[in-house]
Amino acid sequence: MSDTLPQLPSGWTAPEAFASFGSFTAPNKRAVEPVGPAFLAHARRTLHGRTWSEDEKIQAQENVIVADVVEEESEDEEGESEELLNHSARDWKTLDLYGALGLKRHRWRADEDKIRKAHRKSVLKHHPDKKAGQQDGFFKCIQKAFEILMDPTKRKQFDSVDSRADVLPPTKFNADNFIELWGPVFEAEGRFSRVQPVPKIGTMESPKEEVNKFYSFFYALDSWRTFEFLDEDVPDDTSNRDNKRYIEKKNFAARKKRKTEELARLRKLIDTAIASDPRIKLFKENEKAAKEKAKWDREADTRKAAEDAKKAAEEAAAAKEAEEKAAKEAKEGAKKNKEAAKNAKKKNKRTIRGSVKDVGYFGESSAAQIDAILSDVDALIEKFDDLELSEVAGKLAGVTDASTVKSVFTESATKHAIPAKFFA
Amino acid sequence: MSTVIGIAFGNTTSSIAVEKDGKVEVIANQDGDRAIPSTLSYVNTDEYHGAQAKAQLVRHANNTITNFRDFIGKPFENIDVSNCHASAHPFNNDGEVAFKITANSEEILSVEEVVKRHLIKLIDSASDYIGKPIDGAVIAVPTDFTEAERKALVSIAEKANLKVLQVINEPTAALLAHASAGNHLPQDKITVVADFGGSRSDGAVIASRGGMFTVLATSHDYTLGGSNLDEVLIDFFAKEFQKKFNTDAKSEPRSLAKLRAECEQTKKTLSNSTSSTIAIESMAGGYDFHSTINRLRFEVASRSVFEKFTSFVEALVKKTGFDFLDIDEILLVGGTSQTPKIANALVNLFPESTKVVAPVTDTKAINPNELIARGCALQASLISSFEQEQIDESIEPVVTVAPHLTKSIGVQITNGTDKSDILTILEHDTALPIRKSKIVVAPQAGDALVAIFEGEPEIVVTRIEAPKKDESAPADDEESDWSEEEEDDEEIREKIVKAGKKLAEIGLEGVAPGAKIEVILNITKDLKLQVSAREIGGNGVAVRGVVA
């Protein structure tokens, strides 16, 4: 470091040890190239109106937050249960390999880096050199677990049968907690998929396509799940080759059987889920409603035509009825008039006939005379039309004078020139 | 995490690159080329791209489209068609540039269509390599691309299903790649970026200040490029052919195309080895041609072209008003920069303090062909996590246009490494606001004075007398030519910084002798200079003040 400051001249004074002489030459405006990390910082400062130190502080804070998260992640200390600690390394097939490394919570989600870190931690804690006088069984378990989990093939075989990572389908659930309860089930099943990422169960608001895609993905799940881990140990002795082959064959058959069972199980699981998925019910309902509406809309024309026809027919019927009614009324009126006329005629006739009786047959008493009078009256009545009948009846009504009656009859007889026997 | 790439879309060649885990990889296309010729060719019903298309220049020149990048967004009357002489000719299609292809049936391809197809091929190569569909890209264009032309390029890319995150300048991209690779991004430097391409040359003087780049000057030469060197070789071999067989190889377009393809290859070989052979079967008139050329002969033959390259850089520096000593670095970009002579000529022209970055002068230099694509890939990965809106907002002039210091600002020192009496803290052409600090040493006795000055650059010329020659030796004609130069006194030019205008003084009392003192200069948004000084590790409080 050779850049040395000059000495402070003696007698140099300034308020607060700072003296200002003048501002720097006016800057000119130029465009910065919008490229590179430094520009990002510049843009951040400019857009947020931060000063240099403010921005540094905020960035530092953000970094601190990130660092905290990292630490938190590594701080998932998991205590080992007594059972795990006493597990014999010889029975490693029944061992919870993840538990041995303290990765109970992560299981198949743990990446290689995490496993390595967890292993290191476990080793530091459980190394036999640190536990003098104790059994080193658990350390062997740790080593075995690490060996298996670091080998991708072996790890897959273990993951395939790691029932501790399975999430059993819920037995009791309703539309409200369907997603909540079934989501983890499918997430766990999805770990076997060769195709990643696996679609998520979605939300209650997921569209139909998404839900369909989700279920069809699981129906067609390309699973890497294998069951080699459950194989019966093949004896390593060369003496009995037949037995060895027999066991190998048995293992193969068992694997195949398990795989088939696994397929059936998954299918059943999806069927159950679909059958109770409230979204699918909703889609079906919506679809039905939509279909009906479409049908309703489609038939609107025919419906309208039918309505129109019906209306027209009704109108026609009404018109016809009114007409008929009118006709009937007219007919009835005519009948009434006719009857009235008939009655009047009868009455008139009765009056006319009665008039001769009322006047005592003009004093005639012989049967022949009376007969002649009556036949004349009848002949006259026959001759009268309706008008004349009423006119004559009017003349005769209430008349008690025989001569008047006689003159009326005589007049009528002359008028009609009937061969009258009496009223000549 | 989205998959983003960088695309260097050149007139002659294009490159694609991707950033992964802090490392940038330039992607080779299906043919294995990292510098993919920007060429499309149509033969019968087939479409060829890249090197395969370029090979068709010999047999199907009329259906092979080259050098179309510069036509983007330009009306027909504004384009320079001279580069398309030996390939499909552009024609005026209602004012727009288009190509007529008669491979299968007659087809008219607009420049947009050609560029679109080219981009699709590039994206295909990239997504094949990465194994994922490409979500976005940063594309670099020359500095003389107008805003409208950049927009046209973005819209074409959209039609090719490519989201352009940002269009950046080629020289800046190259510099970003170079500085990031060498881990000297935050250094303050003045760099000349000279991009010698296949058919044109572009130059830019860029000030790097704390990782921020400001283009101070640009220049373009549309007739100077690697093809000029090819022409030299073509002439050279055509002459030889004429002499041998009395046949003109240049009169027949197909012979010329064959010769051109081979000469280009020969030129590339000469960049790596000192001699190269050329062999063309049935070049012209049924004669096979076979010859060799060494690098020296090539350099002599193309001296005038090399001079053009050198003077291009010289003129660019003069344009900025800088002295050669102000230039810290010359970054050579583009395939033509592989030619050793160009870099060597620049090394000779510029003082020792100027570092010329080219494969021949610096073994660690990145392949100049790949610099731009690498820079684009870096930028793409930087901004891939942002929303497009945020990116667009950030490249608005409101953000990019910033005040820049006209003069450097520094602190007075007594015994600098050179003869300067100012230790520069803030260089000239630094974008404001800025905060920067430097550490200086307190004097051995007494209190320290922190005096802030503006720096005035000064070129100090020291003459060193040439060692006396043996005067008794009679100088013959030939020697006198040489000795004349040698007799000149050697000049040592040095750049030093003198104290200019005094801005502020701080008195630091009670500092330990030889203690380290940090001087912080901070220029705020409202262009106020804040100065503060404190003793590192000492118990004294910092003294600070604002320059009024």
Side-chain angles (χ1 to χ4, degrees):
Chain A
M1 196 59 67
S2 59
D3 302 318
T4 312
L5 289 174
Q7 242 177 323
L8 192 67
S10 58
W12 187 92
T13 49
E16 285 168 23
F18 180 84
S20 167
F21 290 88
S23 191
F24 56 94
T25 316
N28 45 18
K29 294 235 166 192
R30 282 182 193 276
V32 179
E33 287 291 289
V35 160
F39 175 77
L40 283 187
H42 168 78
R44 205 170 49 224
R45 284 192 300 267
T46 316
L47 289 172
H48 295 87
R50 297 178 192 159
T51 67
W52 202 280
S53 14
E54 273 169 7
D55 186 60
E56 259 174 16
K57 235 180 255 169
I58 290 166
Q59 285 304 105
Q61 267 170 6
E62 278 174 13
N63 288 340
V64 164
I65 290 161
V66 170
D68 274 352
V69 170
V70 170
E71 258 170 49
E72 222 170 292
E73 253 182 347
S74 59
E75 266 176 18
D76 46 8
E77 219 38 53
E78 285 175 12
E80 290 83 9
S81 67
E82 199 64 26
E83 187 204 341
L84 199 62
L85 286 172
N86 291 332
H87 202 103
S88 163
R90 219 173 291 165
D91 305 329
W92 59 272
K93 284 227 168 181
T94 56
L95 176 69
D96 177 4
L97 300 182
Y98 288 110
L101 292 179
L103 290 168
K104 255 185 230 162
R105 281 196 287 129
H106 298 281
R107 308 210 82 89
W108 52 275
R109 294 176 202 86
D111 55 7
E112 229 181 81
D113 196 40
K114 193 156 244 164
I115 295 171
R116 204 170 269 132
K117 273 185 190 154
H119 170 247
R120 174 117 193 96
K121 217 167 169 184
S122 302
V123 166
L124 290 178
K125 198 172 161 193
H126 296 286
H127 198 277
D129 287 1
K130 285 190 177 170
K131 300 188 166 183
Q134 282 181 37
Q135 289 289 321
D136 62 348
F138 187 62
F139 183 71
K140 280 181 182 159
C141 287
I142 292 171
Q143 296 300 65
K144 188 75 194 172
F146 184 62
E147 179 202 319
I148 291 173
L149 295 184
M150 286 311 280
D151 182 328
T153 327
K154 282 188 183 162
R155 188 179 173 193
K156 272 196 174 173
Q157 289 175 2
F158 174 73
D159 279 345
S160 295
V161 297
D162 185 12
S163 58
R164 293 172 192 91
D166 286 343
V167 180
L168 292 177
T171 44
K172 271 185 194 169
F173 55 91
N174 54 37
D176 292 332
N177 58 15
F178 178 85
I179 304 268
E180 201 182 314
L181 292 179
W182 279 91
V185 177
F186 279 103
E187 202 192 325
E189 292 299 336
R191 73 184 194 269
F192 298 120
S193 171
R194 263 187 248 272
V195 184
Q196 297 284 355
V198 174
K200 290 262 184 322
I201 194 161
T203 61
M204 282 309 282
E205 283 77 38
S206 297
K208 193 186 168 196
E209 295 76 42
E210 217 167 273
V211 175
N212 281 348
K213 215 175 137 192
F214 171 75
Y215 283 118
S216 50
F217 178 88
F218 275 96
Y219 267 130
L221 189 78
D222 184 9
S223 167
W224 49 257
R225 196 170 187 182
T226 59
F227 296 93
E228 268 111 324
F229 202 81
L230 302 176
D231 281 358
E232 197 177 319
D233 278 335
V234 178
D236 206 18
D237 55 345
T238 42
S239 56
N240 198 341
R241 227 190 290 170
D242 284 343
N243 185 33
K244 194 177 163 192
R245 282 194 189 146
Y246 167 70
I247 290 179
E248 271 174 359
K249 211 170 151 189
K250 222 167 85 179
N251 278 339
F252 186 75
R255 261 184 247 156
K256 214 169 163 185
K257 195 181 158 213
R258 287 203 178 99
K259 186 84 186 172
T260 330
E261 279 168 5
E262 155 73 6
L263 266 175
R265 182 195 63 83
L266 183 63
R267 242 161 212 273
K268 207 179 148 214
L269 182 108
I270 303 167
D271 285 341
T272 322
I274 288 184
S276 45
D277 191 334
R279 292 173 297 177
I280 290 194
K281 261 181 213 154
L282 195 70
F283 294 145
K284 273 188 183 153
E285 272 164 26
N286 287 348
E287 219 165 83
K288 210 173 155 193
K291 226 176 184 174
E292 265 165 19
K293 193 174 178 291
K295 201 177 163 192
W296 180 259
D297 289 346
R298 200 168 53 241
E299 287 174 353
D301 287 345
T302 42
R303 206 169 52 243
K304 194 164 177 269
E307 248 171 37
D308 285 351
K310 201 178 161 194
K311 212 170 159 190
E314 269 172 8
E315 273 169 9
K320 203 177 162 194
E321 206 181 318
E323 207 174 284
E324 267 170 9
K325 204 176 163 191
K328 204 176 162 191
E329 269 168 10
K331 216 170 158 185
E332 267 169 12
K335 213 174 165 185
K336 245 184 198 162
N337 286 346
K338 225 172 172 180
E339 242 160 47
K342 220 172 165 182
N343 285 345
K345 213 170 162 184
K346 262 185 191 164
K347 203 180 165 192
N348 288 341
K349 280 181 184 169
R350 226 180 9 252
T351 313
I352 294 167
R353 278 199 194 102
S355 62
V356 284
K357 192 187 165 191
D358 285 346
V359 292
Y361 304 110
F362 309 109
E364 302 290 338
S365 53
S366 69
Q369 275 302 330
I370 290 169
D371 222 28
I373 291 167
L374 284 178
S375 69
D376 277 357
V377 170
D378 281 345
L380 269 172
I381 288 171
E382 284 296 301
K383 284 284 175 191
F384 288 155
D385 58 9
D386 291 353
L387 200 68
E388 225 170 358
L389 201 64
S390 61
E391 192 185 310
V392 173
K395 275 178 190 166
L396 293 175
V399 178
T400 47
D401 182 22
S403 59
T404 320
V405 173
K406 201 177 176 180
S407 70
V408 171
F409 279 109
T410 315
E411 193 188 325
S412 299
T414 348
K415 195 178 166 193
H416 290 285
I418 54 154
K421 288 166 188 156
F422 184 77
F423 302 107
Chain B
M1 183 68 199
S2 54
T3 316
V4 290
I5 55 168
I7 298 180
F9 182 7
N11 230 359
T12 318
T13 61
S14 302
S15 297
I16 36 183
V18 64
E19 193 257 13
K20 206 183 156 203
D21 302 333
K23 274 186 183 170
V24 184
E25 206 150 346
V26 180
I27 301 169
N29 73 351
Q30 284 84 345
D31 299 341
D33 290 323
R34 288 192 166 73
I36 304 157
S38 304
T39 311
L40 281 166
S41 183
Y42 294 88
V43 179
N44 296 328
T45 53
D46 295 335
E47 184 187 60
Y48 294 101
H49 178 250
Q52 293 186 30
K54 206 175 170 190
Q56 299 297 336
L57 273 173
V58 175
R59 298 190 60 197
H60 303 282
N62 285 337
N63 291 332
T64 305
I65 309 169
T66 61
N67 289 306
F68 49 82
R69 198 271 319 264
D70 281 352
F71 301 159
I72 294 170
K74 282 200 178 94
F76 185 79
E77 62 258 32
N78 287 355
I79 61 160
D80 173 17
V81 297
S82 55
N83 286 327
C84 297
H85 182 69
S87 58
H89 297 282
F91 78 100
N92 190 347
N93 189 17
D94 285 334
E96 287 181 1
V97 188
F99 297 91
K100 202 175 273 165
I101 296 302
T102 51
N104 190 26
S105 54
E106 193 173 281
E107 196 182 356
I108 287 174
L109 296 180
S110 63
V111 164
E112 277 78 36
E113 182 62 25
V114 175
V115 172
K116 186 185 124 192
R117 290 180 184 188
H118 175 60
L119 285 177
I120 288 175
K121 291 281 181 189
L122 293 181
I123 301 161
D124 279 354
S125 298
S127 57
D128 271 4
Y129 175 83
I130 299 169
K132 279 183 204 159
I134 304 302
D135 299 319
V138 168
I139 303 184
V141 295
T143 46
D144 64 343
F145 249 53
T146 62
E147 209 50 48
E149 284 159 18
R150 282 164 206 245
K151 280 209 179 98
L153 178 62
V154 171
S155 77
I156 295 169
E158 252 164 41
K159 281 177 202 155
N161 261 333
L162 177 69
K163 196 177 120 198
V164 180
L165 303 173
Q166 194 186 349
V167 177
I168 62 175
N169 287 329
E170 282 178 353
T172 329
L175 187 55
L176 177 67
H178 166 68
S180 305
N183 266 335
H184 42 70
L185 202 54
Q187 283 179 17
D188 288 347
K189 268 191 215 170
I190 298 283
T191 309
V192 173
V193 181
D195 182 353
F196 299 129
S199 59
R200 57 181 278 184
S201 296
D202 304 281
V205 179
I206 300 180
S208 326
R209 301 291 182 232
M212 292 242 267
F213 303 115
T214 308
V215 176
L216 302 178
T218 59
S219 75
H220 308 278
D221 190 333
Y222 303 102
T223 57
L224 181 65
S227 60
N228 298 42
L229 294 172
D230 298 341
E231 288 302 325
V232 172
L233 282 174
I234 289 169
D235 284 342
F236 179 84
F237 287 122
K239 236 177 245 169
E240 197 177 317
F241 190 74
Q242 176 84 26
K243 216 184 269 173
K244 265 188 190 164
F245 303 106
N246 198 23
T247 311
D248 184 7
K250 288 171 77 180
S251 58
E252 171 74 25
R254 193 175 283 192
S255 317
L256 186 60
K258 272 186 191 173
L259 185 57
R260 176 170 284 123
E262 286 304 317
C263 284
E264 204 186 314
Q265 204 46 56
T266 307
K267 175 189 73 179
K268 285 179 185 165
T269 312
L270 282 177
S271 296
N272 293 319
S273 57
T274 46
S275 76
S276 171
T277 57
I278 180 168
I280 304 170
E281 273 179 39
S282 183
M283 185 159 113
Y287 295 114
D288 294 353
F289 179 63
H290 183 93
S291 179
T292 54
I293 184 169
N294 65 23
R295 192 189 280 174
L296 192 66
R297 185 162 279 244
F298 166 60
E299 284 171 359
V300 170
S302 42
R303 215 179 79 171
S304 63
V305 181
F306 285 136
E307 271 170 7
K308 277 189 200 162
F309 285 118
T310 324
S311 55
F312 175 77
V313 177
E314 209 179 333
L316 173 60
V317 174
K318 287 222 171 100
K319 203 170 164 182
T320 57
F322 284 142
D323 191 85
F324 281 176
L325 282 166
D326 289 320
I327 309 296
D328 299 301
E329 197 177 50
I330 299 175
L331 177 63
L332 292 186
V333 188
T336 311
S337 307
Q338 310 254 23
T339 317
K341 180 75 184 169
I342 294 179
N344 287 334
L346 288 171
V347 170
N348 291 337
L349 179 68
F350 280 82
E352 253 173 76
S353 62
T354 306
K355 195 178 157 209
V356 177
V357 184
V360 70
T361 53
D362 182 357
T363 44
K364 273 187 250 160
I366 299 170
N367 184 347
N369 257 334
E370 298 175 351
L371 273 169
I372 296 171
R374 282 170 181 274
C376 291
L378 281 173
Q379 177 66 9
S381 77
L382 267 180
I383 60 175
S384 64
S385 58
F386 291 92
E387 298 286 323
Q388 188 62 44
E389 255 175 57
Q390 284 176 294
I391 299 171
D392 292 341
E393 192 182 41
S394 299
I395 57 179
E396 289 283 322
V398 183
V399 180
T400 59
V401 174
H404 283 62
L405 277 183
T406 38
K407 286 187 175 157
S408 58
I409 300 175
V411 60
Q412 190 183 16
I413 46 169
T414 49
N415 56 338
T417 39
D418 46 22
K419 289 160 193 154
S420 307
D421 42 49
I422 293 295
L423 174 69
T424 306
I425 297 178
L426 298 177
E427 282 284 359
H428 58 92
D429 293 304
T430 300
L432 305 178
I434 180 85
R435 198 192 63 185
K436 218 174 165 194
S437 68
K438 272 211 172 147
I439 293 168
V440 286
V441 179
Q444 283 302 324
D447 306 327
L449 171 72
V450 179
I452 305 297
F453 283 90
E454 273 192 344
E456 292 287 351
E458 211 175 285
I459 306 289
V460 178
V461 182
T462 345
R463 276 174 180 274
I464 296 175
E465 279 189 26
K468 284 268 192 280
K469 275 233 155 192
D470 194 358
E471 280 172 18
S472 59
D476 57 27
D477 280 355
E478 200 189 35
E479 244 183 24
S480 68
D481 273 354
W482 293 99
S483 56
E484 216 172 332
E485 276 174 46
E486 276 179 24
E487 266 171 19
D488 270 356
D489 291 343
E490 205 181 338
E491 278 184 1
I492 293 182
R493 302 175 81 243
E494 266 179 308
K495 188 186 152 193
I496 60 163
V497 186
K498 287 272 171 209
K501 189 176 164 192
K502 192 192 261 185
L503 301 179
E505 272 183 356
I506 287 178
L508 274 184
E509 286 169 8
V511 288
K516 286 180 181 170
I517 293 171
E518 187 183 26
V519 181
I520 304 171
L521 294 186
N522 185 9
I523 298 181
T524 56
K525 205 165 48 177
D526 46 3
L527 305 179
K528 286 266 180 298
L529 172 65
Q530 297 171 350
V531 186
S532 71
R534 67 181 184 95
E535 186 185 343
I536 293 177
N539 41 17
V541 281
V543 181
R544 55 169 62 92
V546 180
V547 175

